[in-house]
Amino acid sequence: MTLRSSLAATLAGLLLVVCGPGLASEVVAVGRVSIALPGQGWQVYSASDSGNVLSGGNLTRQQQTESKILLRRAADQTIDAVLMVRANVTGKGRFSRIVYPDARCEGGAGAFSEGDAPGATVRSFRCLMVLPTGAVGVPDAFFQNIQGELHRDGWRLAPAMHVVVAKQYAQTGAFVDLMALVVPEALPALPGASDPAIDVLPTGVSAASVHWGRQLQQAVTDSVYSVRGLLPVPELLLPSDAPSRSH
C-alpha cells in the first residue's frame, strides 16, 4: 500500500475551518498520541481533518486522522510558540506493508534536513527539517491560513521564529507529522561537549535549533512506535506567567 496524501495539502484545507480554542491541559491527545507540553499558557484548536486514503493494488482504505494546533501566548499577547500536530487515529495494527516510495526529506534552499533516503520499497519514513529563522509567514502555503483566527482573537505573532518539522511514518499506518514554530530565545543553550557534531549549517539555521529539532524528532519517532503514544515536547524556555484565557 502507498499513502496518497500530504500534510501540506491537508493542512491547507483544514486550517480554514479551525474550531474555537480552549485552554490546553498539560497533556493533549491528538489521534493516538499524547502531546506532553512544555510550560504553561497553551491553548488548543481542534481542526477538521478528512483523513488519509491508503491504497495499493486493488485495495483502498480510509484512515481516520486528527489534527490540532497548540498556541502559546506571552504576557504581551505575542505568540511565542506554535505546534501543529497531525496523527493517525486508526492504522496501527490494522494496516501493514505500507510503503512510501514518494517520500522526500527536503526542506528547500537554505534549510537543514536529515532523514531516511527515498526508495521504491521504503516501509517507514523519518524526516527532520529546520528552516532559517525569519518572519512567521513561513511556511506561506498553509500557516497564513490561520491568520484570520489569530487576529480575531487579538493575537499577534512574534516577528521572527524558528520553524522545525519532524515526521515519522511507519508501515503499520501509524504516523506523526509535527510542525513547531518557536521564538529563538525559547531554545535551551547547547549542552557543550555532550552535543553531537553538526556539519556546517545553512545561514540562519542555528545549532541550538537543530539540537532541539533532533530531540523533537526522536520524541516523534518514539511516539509512533510506542504502545502508549506519549510524545514529550523538548524543553522550551518560555515565561511561566503567560495569562490564560477561556472561551
Side-chain angles (χ1 to χ4, degrees), residues 21-46:
L23 189 63
S25 60
E26 188 172 312
V27 177
V28 176
V30 183
R32 62 167 296 276
V33 303
S34 298
I35 311 297
L37 296 168
Q40 301 175 347
W42 293 86
Q43 290 185 312
V44 57
Y45 286 79
S46 294

Side-chain angles (χ1 to χ4, degrees), residues 204-236:
V205 176
S206 69
S209 66
V210 172
H211 178 75
W212 187 85
R214 285 173 167 170
Q215 292 180 314
L216 180 65
Q217 176 64 65
Q218 188 61 56
V220 165
T221 296
D222 290 346
S223 71
V224 168
Y225 290 105
S226 72
V227 175
R228 295 178 58 200
L230 181 63
L231 198 168
V233 177
E235 177 189 11
L236 289 173

Side-chain angles (χ1 to χ4, degrees), residues 23-80:
L23 189 63
S25 60
E26 188 172 312
V27 177
V28 176
V30 183
R32 62 167 296 276
V33 303
S34 298
I35 311 297
L37 296 168
Q40 301 175 347
W42 293 86
Q43 290 185 312
V44 57
Y45 286 79
S46 294
S48 175
D49 192 322
S50 58
N52 291 327
V53 176
L54 299 174
S55 64
N58 296 322
L59 298 176
T60 299
R61 294 179 180 176
Q62 183 71 24
Q63 181 187 41
Q64 184 180 357
T65 59
E66 185 174 30
S67 297
K68 289 185 180 179
I69 305 165
L70 309 175
L71 302 173
R72 194 224 178 247
R73 299 180 301 127
D76 65 355
Q77 303 288 314
T78 299
I79 293 175
D80 53 15

